[in-house]
Amino acid sequence: MHLIRRATIGDCAAIGAAQARAFFDDPLQSWALPDPGTRLQLLAEMFTLLTRVVSVPHGESFVDAGCATAAFWVPPGAWGQALSDAARRSLSVLDVQLAPDTTRRFALANDAMHAAHPPGEHWYLQGLGTDPSMQRRGLGAAVLAPVLERADADAIPCYLESTKLTNLPFYERLGFAVTGTLSIGDSGPTLWTMWREPTPPGNREGVAS
């Protein structure tokens, strides 16, 4: 059994470091940050800042005891809401740290995801990552369980975009189904959109990740 809890501000640096390792070879991050020599440090800084400014304030980000894995959820009705002035000022540091071409590529990806985002009430899985050294121990499924169980109990669907074809079976075992693909301009990677209808209690399968 894994101890899963809500992420706190004090976890942000540990989360950022683990997520940087988890996403180092991710197609989207590799495309936006093509230099492997600087990618890990930039990803750590990005994930730390985004976790502190965006994810933790939503109150629905979950981690294991060592912050090796994290799931970043946006609750129903919160997706698309404007950031506060303080949050925008905090995030503006990324414009200084990142090369203009990187900023442009992330903007292209965000625009594509926003255009495809489904309407209606749903939980949005904005991100899920596990430190490579801790993968295939069931942490991914465990860290998703708190929100998936709530979604089932409240009869609310869930939505995500996957950046890796190899991750689709993992999500499918948790009840998600592919609904389409997203093509990002400038030779960007393909993303898969996935939707999960609420599952009656007792019908979900546990999986390892």
Side-chain angles (χ1 to χ4, degrees):
M1 296 293 293
H2 298 291
L3 175 63
I4 303 299
R5 59 176 176 79
R6 278 186 171 83
T8 68
I9 291 295
D11 297 321
C12 292
I15 291 172
Q19 294 302 300
R21 292 188 291 269
F23 283 89
F24 182 78
D25 65 347
D26 177 81
L28 178 59
Q29 309 304 327
S30 299
W31 168 71
L33 296 164
D35 182 359
T38 60
R39 187 186 308 144
L40 188 66
Q41 181 61 34
L42 287 172
L43 284 176
E45 293 172 1
M46 288 171 53
F47 276 113
T48 299
L49 181 60
L50 289 169
T51 301
R52 176 171 59 82
V53 174
V54 179
S55 300
V56 169
H58 277 311
E60 301 295 351
S61 293
F62 290 84
V63 295
D64 67 300
C67 295
T69 191
F72 307 101
W73 290 95
V74 178
W79 183 84
Q81 291 181 354
L83 294 173
S84 68
D85 289 341
R88 285 198 297 271
R89 286 195 297 271
S90 296
L91 293 175
S92 66
V93 69
L94 294 178
D95 293 333
V96 177
Q97 292 176 306
L98 300 178
D101 193 53
T102 293
T103 300
R104 180 182 61 81
R105 289 187 173 191
F106 276 130
L108 285 173
N110 285 331
D111 288 346
M113 289 187 281
H114 275 253
H117 203 97
E121 186 178 61
H122 59 274
W123 284 92
Y124 174 42
L125 181 59
Q126 200 162 34
L128 168 69
T130 301
D131 194 316
S133 67
M134 296 295 289
Q135 290 178 1
R136 303 198 178 282
R137 303 187 187 193
L139 284 170
V143 81
L144 291 176
V147 167
L148 293 184
E149 291 169 1
R150 288 166 58 190
D152 289 341
D154 297 336
I156 296 176
C158 301
Y159 173 75
L160 63 84
E161 302 103 358
S162 176
T163 56
K164 281 187 176 181
L165 180 64
T166 54
N167 287 344
L168 301 187
F170 165 76
Y171 289 119
E172 289 170 342
R173 289 194 293 271
L174 291 174
F176 287 89
V178 174
T179 57
T181 58
L182 299 179
S183 296
I184 301 174
D186 194 17
S187 302
T190 296
L191 277 61
W192 290 263
T193 58
M194 304 189 77
W195 184 261
R196 180 185 184 274
E197 290 292 339
T199 305
N203 287 3
R204 289 180 51 224
E205 299 179 14
V207 300
S209 69

PDB file of all heavy atoms in Angstrom, residues 9-42:
ATOM      1  N   ILE A   9       2.837  23.297  -0.386  1.00  0.00           N
ATOM      2  CA  ILE A   9       3.857  24.227  -0.879  1.00  0.00           C
ATOM      3  C   ILE A   9       5.252  23.722  -0.534  1.00  0.00           C
ATOM      4  O   ILE A   9       6.193  23.851  -1.322  1.00  0.00           O
ATOM      5  CB  ILE A   9       3.631  25.633  -0.300  1.00  0.00           C
ATOM      6  CG1 ILE A   9       2.351  26.246  -0.889  1.00  0.00           C
ATOM      7  CG2 ILE A   9       4.826  26.538  -0.575  1.00  0.00           C
ATOM      8  CD1 ILE A   9       2.405  26.499  -2.382  1.00  0.00           C
ATOM      9  N   GLY A  10       5.392  23.108   0.623  1.00  0.00           N
ATOM     10  CA  GLY A  10       6.691  22.598   1.027  1.00  0.00           C
ATOM     11  C   GLY A  10       7.210  21.461   0.175  1.00  0.00           C
ATOM     12  O   GLY A  10       8.409  21.136   0.222  1.00  0.00           O
ATOM     13  N   ASP A  11       6.337  20.834  -0.614  1.00  0.00           N
ATOM     14  CA  ASP A  11       6.729  19.717  -1.479  1.00  0.00           C
ATOM     15  C   ASP A  11       7.241  20.161  -2.841  1.00  0.00           C
ATOM     16  O   ASP A  11       7.749  19.339  -3.607  1.00  0.00           O
ATOM     17  CB  ASP A  11       5.530  18.784  -1.723  1.00  0.00           C
ATOM     18  CG  ASP A  11       4.996  18.131  -0.473  1.00  0.00           C
ATOM     19  OD1 ASP A  11       5.821  17.754   0.388  1.00  0.00           O
ATOM     20  OD2 ASP A  11       3.769  17.995  -0.354  1.00  0.00           O
ATOM     21  N   CYS A  12       7.079  21.432  -3.176  1.00  0.00           N
ATOM     22  CA  CYS A  12       7.235  21.855  -4.576  1.00  0.00           C
ATOM     23  C   CYS A  12       8.609  21.567  -5.154  1.00  0.00           C
ATOM     24  O   CYS A  12       8.722  21.129  -6.307  1.00  0.00           O
ATOM     25  CB  CYS A  12       6.896  23.335  -4.718  1.00  0.00           C
ATOM     26  SG  CYS A  12       5.130  23.686  -4.450  1.00  0.00           S
ATOM     27  N   ALA A  13       9.662  21.798  -4.403  1.00  0.00           N
ATOM     28  CA  ALA A  13      11.008  21.557  -4.939  1.00  0.00           C
ATOM     29  C   ALA A  13      11.233  20.080  -5.212  1.00  0.00           C
ATOM     30  O   ALA A  13      11.784  19.707  -6.260  1.00  0.00           O
ATOM     31  CB  ALA A  13      12.062  22.086  -3.970  1.00  0.00           C
ATOM     32  N   ALA A  14      10.800  19.215  -4.288  1.00  0.00           N
ATOM     33  CA  ALA A  14      10.957  17.766  -4.487  1.00  0.00           C
ATOM     34  C   ALA A  14      10.106  17.293  -5.661  1.00  0.00           C
ATOM     35  O   ALA A  14      10.543  16.453  -6.466  1.00  0.00           O
ATOM     36  CB  ALA A  14      10.570  17.012  -3.217  1.00  0.00           C
ATOM     37  N   ILE A  15       8.902  17.827  -5.769  1.00  0.00           N
ATOM     38  CA  ILE A  15       8.042  17.471  -6.902  1.00  0.00           C
ATOM     39  C   ILE A  15       8.688  17.912  -8.210  1.00  0.00           C
ATOM     40  O   ILE A  15       8.730  17.164  -9.193  1.00  0.00           O
ATOM     41  CB  ILE A  15       6.652  18.116  -6.745  1.00  0.00           C
ATOM     42  CG1 ILE A  15       5.885  17.473  -5.590  1.00  0.00           C
ATOM     43  CG2 ILE A  15       5.843  17.994  -8.046  1.00  0.00           C
ATOM     44  CD1 ILE A  15       4.585  18.175  -5.254  1.00  0.00           C
ATOM     45  N   GLY A  16       9.197  19.141  -8.241  1.00  0.00           N
ATOM     46  CA  GLY A  16       9.811  19.658  -9.458  1.00  0.00           C
ATOM     47  C   GLY A  16      10.968  18.807  -9.923  1.00  0.00           C
ATOM     48  O   GLY A  16      11.097  18.518 -11.118  1.00  0.00           O
ATOM     49  N   ALA A  17      11.815  18.372  -8.994  1.00  0.00           N
ATOM     50  CA  ALA A  17      12.968  17.553  -9.364  1.00  0.00           C
ATOM     51  C   ALA A  17      12.536  16.197  -9.901  1.00  0.00           C
ATOM     52  O   ALA A  17      13.072  15.709 -10.910  1.00  0.00           O
ATOM     53  CB  ALA A  17      13.881  17.377  -8.151  1.00  0.00           C
ATOM     54  N   ALA A  18      11.554  15.562  -9.246  1.00  0.00           N
ATOM     55  CA  ALA A  18      11.089  14.249  -9.691  1.00  0.00           C
ATOM     56  C   ALA A  18      10.381  14.332 -11.032  1.00  0.00           C
ATOM     57  O   ALA A  18      10.567  13.467 -11.903  1.00  0.00           O
ATOM     58  CB  ALA A  18      10.165  13.643  -8.636  1.00  0.00           C
ATOM     59  N   GLN A  19       9.563  15.372 -11.222  1.00  0.00           N
ATOM     60  CA  GLN A  19       8.851  15.513 -12.484  1.00  0.00           C
ATOM     61  C   GLN A  19       9.809  15.821 -13.629  1.00  0.00           C
ATOM     62  O   GLN A  19       9.585  15.401 -14.768  1.00  0.00           O
ATOM     63  CB  GLN A  19       7.785  16.608 -12.367  1.00  0.00           C
ATOM     64  CG  GLN A  19       6.666  16.285 -11.400  1.00  0.00           C
ATOM     65  CD  GLN A  19       5.942  15.006 -11.750  1.00  0.00           C
ATOM     66  OE1 GLN A  19       5.366  14.873 -12.831  1.00  0.00           O
ATOM     67  NE2 GLN A  19       5.983  14.028 -10.847  1.00  0.00           N
ATOM     68  N   ALA A  20      10.872  16.557 -13.355  1.00  0.00           N
ATOM     69  CA  ALA A  20      11.870  16.820 -14.399  1.00  0.00           C
ATOM     70  C   ALA A  20      12.487  15.527 -14.897  1.00  0.00           C
ATOM     71  O   ALA A  20      12.669  15.332 -16.106  1.00  0.00           O
ATOM     72  CB  ALA A  20      12.952  17.757 -13.862  1.00  0.00           C
ATOM     73  N   ARG A  21      12.792  14.625 -13.970  1.00  0.00           N
ATOM     74  CA  ARG A  21      13.344  13.328 -14.379  1.00  0.00           C
ATOM     75  C   ARG A  21      12.297  12.503 -15.113  1.00  0.00           C
ATOM     76  O   ARG A  21      12.603  11.812 -16.099  1.00  0.00           O
ATOM     77  CB  ARG A  21      13.878  12.582 -13.153  1.00  0.00           C
ATOM     78  CG  ARG A  21      15.109  13.238 -12.531  1.00  0.00           C
ATOM     79  CD  ARG A  21      15.727  12.374 -11.448  1.00  0.00           C
ATOM     80  NE  ARG A  21      14.889  12.274 -10.254  1.00  0.00           N
ATOM     81  CZ  ARG A  21      14.966  13.103  -9.211  1.00  0.00           C
ATOM     82  NH1 ARG A  21      15.817  14.121  -9.232  1.00  0.00           N
ATOM     83  NH2 ARG A  21      14.200  12.919  -8.152  1.00  0.00           N
ATOM     84  N   ALA A  22      11.057  12.567 -14.651  1.00  0.00           N
ATOM     85  CA  ALA A  22       9.990  11.790 -15.277  1.00  0.00           C
ATOM     86  C   ALA A  22       9.721  12.237 -16.706  1.00  0.00           C
ATOM     87  O   ALA A  22       9.417  11.421 -17.584  1.00  0.00           O
ATOM     88  CB  ALA A  22       8.709  11.894 -14.439  1.00  0.00           C
ATOM     89  N   PHE A  23       9.822  13.538 -16.959  1.00  0.00           N
ATOM     90  CA  PHE A  23       9.465  14.088 -18.265  1.00  0.00           C
ATOM     91  C   PHE A  23      10.677  14.419 -19.128  1.00  0.00           C
ATOM     92  O   PHE A  23      10.516  15.037 -20.180  1.00  0.00           O
ATOM     93  CB  PHE A  23       8.596  15.340 -18.085  1.00  0.00           C
ATOM     94  CG  PHE A  23       7.168  15.032 -17.732  1.00  0.00           C
ATOM     95  CD1 PHE A  23       6.787  14.888 -16.413  1.00  0.00           C
ATOM     96  CD2 PHE A  23       6.209  14.867 -18.721  1.00  0.00           C
ATOM     97  CE1 PHE A  23       5.476  14.598 -16.077  1.00  0.00           C
ATOM     98  CE2 PHE A  23       4.900  14.574 -18.406  1.00  0.00           C
ATOM     99  CZ  PHE A  23       4.529  14.432 -17.078  1.00  0.00           C
ATOM    100  N   PHE A  24      11.857  13.998 -18.700  1.00  0.00           N
ATOM    101  CA  PHE A  24      13.064  14.349 -19.453  1.00  0.00           C
ATOM    102  C   PHE A  24      13.003  13.863 -20.901  1.00  0.00           C
ATOM    103  O   PHE A  24      13.442  14.561 -21.823  1.00  0.00           O
ATOM    104  CB  PHE A  24      14.300  13.775 -18.764  1.00  0.00           C
ATOM    105  CG  PHE A  24      15.578  14.134 -19.454  1.00  0.00           C
ATOM    106  CD1 PHE A  24      16.141  15.391 -19.289  1.00  0.00           C
ATOM    107  CD2 PHE A  24      16.220  13.229 -20.292  1.00  0.00           C
ATOM    108  CE1 PHE A  24      17.326  15.739 -19.942  1.00  0.00           C
ATOM    109  CE2 PHE A  24      17.394  13.569 -20.947  1.00  0.00           C
ATOM    110  CZ  PHE A  24      17.947  14.823 -20.769  1.00  0.00           C
ATOM    111  N   ASP A  25      12.464  12.646 -21.114  1.00  0.00           N
ATOM    112  CA  ASP A  25      12.392  12.110 -22.477  1.00  0.00           C
ATOM    113  C   ASP A  25      10.992  12.200 -23.060  1.00  0.00           C
ATOM    114  O   ASP A  25      10.691  11.583 -24.088  1.00  0.00           O
ATOM    115  CB  ASP A  25      12.877  10.655 -22.500  1.00  0.00           C
ATOM    116  CG  ASP A  25      11.961   9.716 -21.700  1.00  0.00           C
ATOM    117  OD1 ASP A  25      11.095  10.217 -20.935  1.00  0.00           O
ATOM    118  OD2 ASP A  25      12.100   8.492 -21.832  1.00  0.00           O
ATOM    119  N   ASP A  26      10.129  12.978 -22.428  1.00  0.00           N
ATOM    120  CA  ASP A  26       8.766  13.149 -22.932  1.00  0.00           C
ATOM    121  C   ASP A  26       8.797  13.840 -24.295  1.00  0.00           C
ATOM    122  O   ASP A  26       9.547  14.813 -24.485  1.00  0.00           O
ATOM    123  CB  ASP A  26       7.960  13.993 -21.934  1.00  0.00           C
ATOM    124  CG  ASP A  26       6.557  14.268 -22.412  1.00  0.00           C
ATOM    125  OD1 ASP A  26       5.696  13.388 -22.263  1.00  0.00           O
ATOM    126  OD2 ASP A  26       6.321  15.384 -22.953  1.00  0.00           O
ATOM    127  N   PRO A  27       8.019  13.372 -25.271  1.00  0.00           N
ATOM    128  CA  PRO A  27       8.077  13.974 -26.606  1.00  0.00           C
ATOM    129  C   PRO A  27       7.781  15.471 -26.640  1.00  0.00           C
ATOM    130  O   PRO A  27       8.433  16.218 -27.384  1.00  0.00           O
ATOM    131  CB  PRO A  27       7.031  13.175 -27.397  1.00  0.00           C
ATOM    132  CG  PRO A  27       6.991  11.844 -26.707  1.00  0.00           C
ATOM    133  CD  PRO A  27       7.173  12.153 -25.255  1.00  0.00           C
ATOM    134  N   LEU A  28       6.815  15.900 -25.857  1.00  0.00           N
ATOM    135  CA  LEU A  28       6.474  17.324 -25.864  1.00  0.00           C
ATOM    136  C   LEU A  28       7.594  18.162 -25.256  1.00  0.00           C
ATOM    137  O   LEU A  28       7.993  19.196 -25.819  1.00  0.00           O
ATOM    138  CB  LEU A  28       5.168  17.551 -25.097  1.00  0.00           C
ATOM    139  CG  LEU A  28       4.705  19.005 -24.966  1.00  0.00           C
ATOM    140  CD1 LEU A  28       4.497  19.634 -26.332  1.00  0.00           C
ATOM    141  CD2 LEU A  28       3.428  19.088 -24.131  1.00  0.00           C
ATOM    142  N   GLN A  29       8.118  17.726 -24.119  1.00  0.00           N
ATOM    143  CA  GLN A  29       9.187  18.487 -23.472  1.00  0.00           C
ATOM    144  C   GLN A  29      10.475  18.454 -24.310  1.00  0.00           C
ATOM    145  O   GLN A  29      11.192  19.457 -24.382  1.00  0.00           O
ATOM    146  CB  GLN A  29       9.456  17.928 -22.068  1.00  0.00           C
ATOM    147  CG  GLN A  29       8.234  17.761 -21.192  1.00  0.00           C
ATOM    148  CD  GLN A  29       7.423  19.032 -21.019  1.00  0.00           C
ATOM    149  OE1 GLN A  29       7.979  20.136 -21.002  1.00  0.00           O
ATOM    150  NE2 GLN A  29       6.112  18.908 -20.893  1.00  0.00           N
ATOM    151  N   SER A  30      10.763  17.324 -24.926  1.00  0.00           N
ATOM    152  CA  SER A  30      11.963  17.216 -25.762  1.00  0.00           C
ATOM    153  C   SER A  30      11.864  18.113 -26.983  1.00  0.00           C
ATOM    154  O   SER A  30      12.885  18.671 -27.445  1.00  0.00           O
ATOM    155  CB  SER A  30      12.173  15.763 -26.192  1.00  0.00           C
ATOM    156  OG  SER A  30      12.364  14.920 -25.068  1.00  0.00           O
ATOM    157  N   TRP A  31      10.665  18.244 -27.529  1.00  0.00           N
ATOM    158  CA  TRP A  31      10.458  19.115 -28.685  1.00  0.00           C
ATOM    159  C   TRP A  31      10.594  20.584 -28.301  1.00  0.00           C
ATOM    160  O   TRP A  31      11.231  21.372 -29.003  1.00  0.00           O
ATOM    161  CB  TRP A  31       9.085  18.842 -29.282  1.00  0.00           C
ATOM    162  CG  TRP A  31       8.603  19.831 -30.291  1.00  0.00           C
ATOM    163  CD1 TRP A  31       9.072  20.017 -31.559  1.00  0.00           C
ATOM    164  CD2 TRP A  31       7.538  20.775 -30.118  1.00  0.00           C
ATOM    165  NE1 TRP A  31       8.363  21.021 -32.185  1.00  0.00           N
ATOM    166  CE2 TRP A  31       7.419  21.495 -31.324  1.00  0.00           C
ATOM    167  CE3 TRP A  31       6.672  21.068 -29.068  1.00  0.00           C
ATOM    168  CZ2 TRP A  31       6.465  22.503 -31.501  1.00  0.00           C
ATOM    169  CZ3 TRP A  31       5.723  22.061 -29.232  1.00  0.00           C
ATOM    170  CH2 TRP A  31       5.631  22.770 -30.437  1.00  0.00           C
ATOM    171  N   ALA A  32      10.020  20.958 -27.150  1.00  0.00           N
ATOM    172  CA  ALA A  32      10.071  22.358 -26.723  1.00  0.00           C
ATOM    173  C   ALA A  32      11.436  22.742 -26.169  1.00  0.00           C
ATOM    174  O   ALA A  32      11.854  23.897 -26.286  1.00  0.00           O
ATOM    175  CB  ALA A  32       8.991  22.622 -25.671  1.00  0.00           C
ATOM    176  N   LEU A  33      12.112  21.756 -25.566  1.00  0.00           N
ATOM    177  CA  LEU A  33      13.435  21.991 -24.976  1.00  0.00           C
ATOM    178  C   LEU A  33      14.429  21.029 -25.636  1.00  0.00           C
ATOM    179  O   LEU A  33      14.808  20.012 -25.060  1.00  0.00           O
ATOM    180  CB  LEU A  33      13.397  21.760 -23.470  1.00  0.00           C
ATOM    181  CG  LEU A  33      12.502  22.706 -22.657  1.00  0.00           C
ATOM    182  CD1 LEU A  33      12.236  22.146 -21.276  1.00  0.00           C
ATOM    183  CD2 LEU A  33      13.151  24.087 -22.568  1.00  0.00           C
ATOM    184  N   PRO A  34      14.869  21.300 -26.832  1.00  0.00           N
ATOM    185  CA  PRO A  34      15.651  20.322 -27.604  1.00  0.00           C
ATOM    186  C   PRO A  34      17.070  20.077 -27.097  1.00  0.00           C
ATOM    187  O   PRO A  34      17.682  19.074 -27.471  1.00  0.00           O
ATOM    188  CB  PRO A  34      15.674  20.923 -29.012  1.00  0.00           C
ATOM    189  CG  PRO A  34      15.468  22.390 -28.806  1.00  0.00           C
ATOM    190  CD  PRO A  34      14.562  22.509 -27.626  1.00  0.00           C
ATOM    191  N   ASP A  35      17.599  20.950 -26.250  1.00  0.00           N
ATOM    192  CA  ASP A  35      18.970  20.772 -25.761  1.00  0.00           C
ATOM    193  C   ASP A  35      18.952  19.895 -24.510  1.00  0.00           C
ATOM    194  O   ASP A  35      18.540  20.345 -23.433  1.00  0.00           O
ATOM    195  CB  ASP A  35      19.586  22.131 -25.437  1.00  0.00           C
ATOM    196  CG  ASP A  35      21.036  22.015 -24.962  1.00  0.00           C
ATOM    197  OD1 ASP A  35      21.547  20.873 -24.861  1.00  0.00           O
ATOM    198  OD2 ASP A  35      21.642  23.064 -24.676  1.00  0.00           O
ATOM    199  N   PRO A  36      19.396  18.638 -24.598  1.00  0.00           N
ATOM    200  CA  PRO A  36      19.375  17.760 -23.426  1.00  0.00           C
ATOM    201  C   PRO A  36      20.305  18.229 -22.314  1.00  0.00           C
ATOM    202  O   PRO A  36      20.117  17.860 -21.150  1.00  0.00           O
ATOM    203  CB  PRO A  36      19.818  16.402 -23.981  1.00  0.00           C
ATOM    204  CG  PRO A  36      20.583  16.722 -25.213  1.00  0.00           C
ATOM    205  CD  PRO A  36      19.951  17.955 -25.783  1.00  0.00           C
ATOM    206  N   GLY A  37      21.271  19.061 -22.655  1.00  0.00           N
ATOM    207  CA  GLY A  37      22.204  19.532 -21.649  1.00  0.00           C
ATOM    208  C   GLY A  37      21.591  20.513 -20.666  1.00  0.00           C
ATOM    209  O   GLY A  37      22.065  20.634 -19.532  1.00  0.00           O
ATOM    210  N   THR A  38      20.558  21.225 -21.088  1.00  0.00           N
ATOM    211  CA  THR A  38      19.892  22.200 -20.208  1.00  0.00           C
ATOM    212  C   THR A  38      18.478  21.781 -19.830  1.00  0.00           C
ATOM    213  O   THR A  38      17.868  22.406 -18.965  1.00  0.00           O
ATOM    214  CB  THR A  38      19.825  23.574 -20.896  1.00  0.00           C
ATOM    215  OG1 THR A  38      19.071  23.456 -22.126  1.00  0.00           O
ATOM    216  CG2 THR A  38      21.222  24.101 -21.209  1.00  0.00           C
ATOM    217  N   ARG A  39      17.970  20.728 -20.458  1.00  0.00           N
ATOM    218  CA  ARG A  39      16.557  20.374 -20.278  1.00  0.00           C
ATOM    219  C   ARG A  39      16.203  20.016 -18.842  1.00  0.00           C
ATOM    220  O   ARG A  39      15.180  20.455 -18.308  1.00  0.00           O
ATOM    221  CB  ARG A  39      16.174  19.221 -21.219  1.00  0.00           C
ATOM    222  CG  ARG A  39      14.661  18.913 -21.206  1.00  0.00           C
ATOM    223  CD  ARG A  39      14.347  17.678 -22.039  1.00  0.00           C
ATOM    224  NE  ARG A  39      14.933  17.795 -23.367  1.00  0.00           N
ATOM    225  CZ  ARG A  39      15.438  16.774 -24.043  1.00  0.00           C
ATOM    226  NH1 ARG A  39      15.450  15.560 -23.503  1.00  0.00           N
ATOM    227  NH2 ARG A  39      15.946  16.967 -25.238  1.00  0.00           N
ATOM    228  N   LEU A  40      17.025  19.203 -18.190  1.00  0.00           N
ATOM    229  CA  LEU A  40      16.679  18.724 -16.851  1.00  0.00           C
ATOM    230  C   LEU A  40      16.544  19.881 -15.864  1.00  0.00           C
ATOM    231  O   LEU A  40      15.562  19.949 -15.106  1.00  0.00           O
ATOM    232  CB  LEU A  40      17.725  17.725 -16.357  1.00  0.00           C
ATOM    233  CG  LEU A  40      17.373  17.011 -15.041  1.00  0.00           C
ATOM    234  CD1 LEU A  40      16.160  16.107 -15.233  1.00  0.00           C
ATOM    235  CD2 LEU A  40      18.560  16.186 -14.558  1.00  0.00           C
ATOM    236  N   GLN A  41      17.490  20.799 -15.882  1.00  0.00           N
ATOM    237  CA  GLN A  41      17.438  21.923 -14.952  1.00  0.00           C
ATOM    238  C   GLN A  41      16.247  22.831 -15.249  1.00  0.00           C
ATOM    239  O   GLN A  41      15.545  23.285 -14.323  1.00  0.00           O
ATOM    240  CB  GLN A  41      18.731  22.733 -15.018  1.00  0.00           C
ATOM    241  CG  GLN A  41      18.789  23.916 -14.055  1.00  0.00           C
ATOM    242  CD  GLN A  41      18.683  23.504 -12.599  1.00  0.00           C
ATOM    243  OE1 GLN A  41      19.171  22.445 -12.221  1.00  0.00           O
ATOM    244  NE2 GLN A  41      18.044  24.342 -11.785  1.00  0.00           N
ATOM    245  N   LEU A  42      16.003  23.099 -16.525  1.00  0.00           N
ATOM    246  CA  LEU A  42      14.868  23.950 -16.879  1.00  0.00           C
ATOM    247  C   LEU A  42      13.553  23.301 -16.503  1.00  0.00           C
ATOM    248  O   LEU A  42      12.637  23.963 -15.993  1.00  0.00           O
ATOM    249  CB  LEU A  42      14.903  24.264 -18.379  1.00  0.00           C
ATOM    250  CG  LEU A  42      15.977  25.252 -18.826  1.00  0.00           C
ATOM    251  CD1 LEU A  42      16.028  25.326 -20.345  1.00  0.00           C
ATOM    252  CD2 LEU A  42      15.708  26.642 -18.238  1.00  0.00           C
TER     253      LEU A  42
END
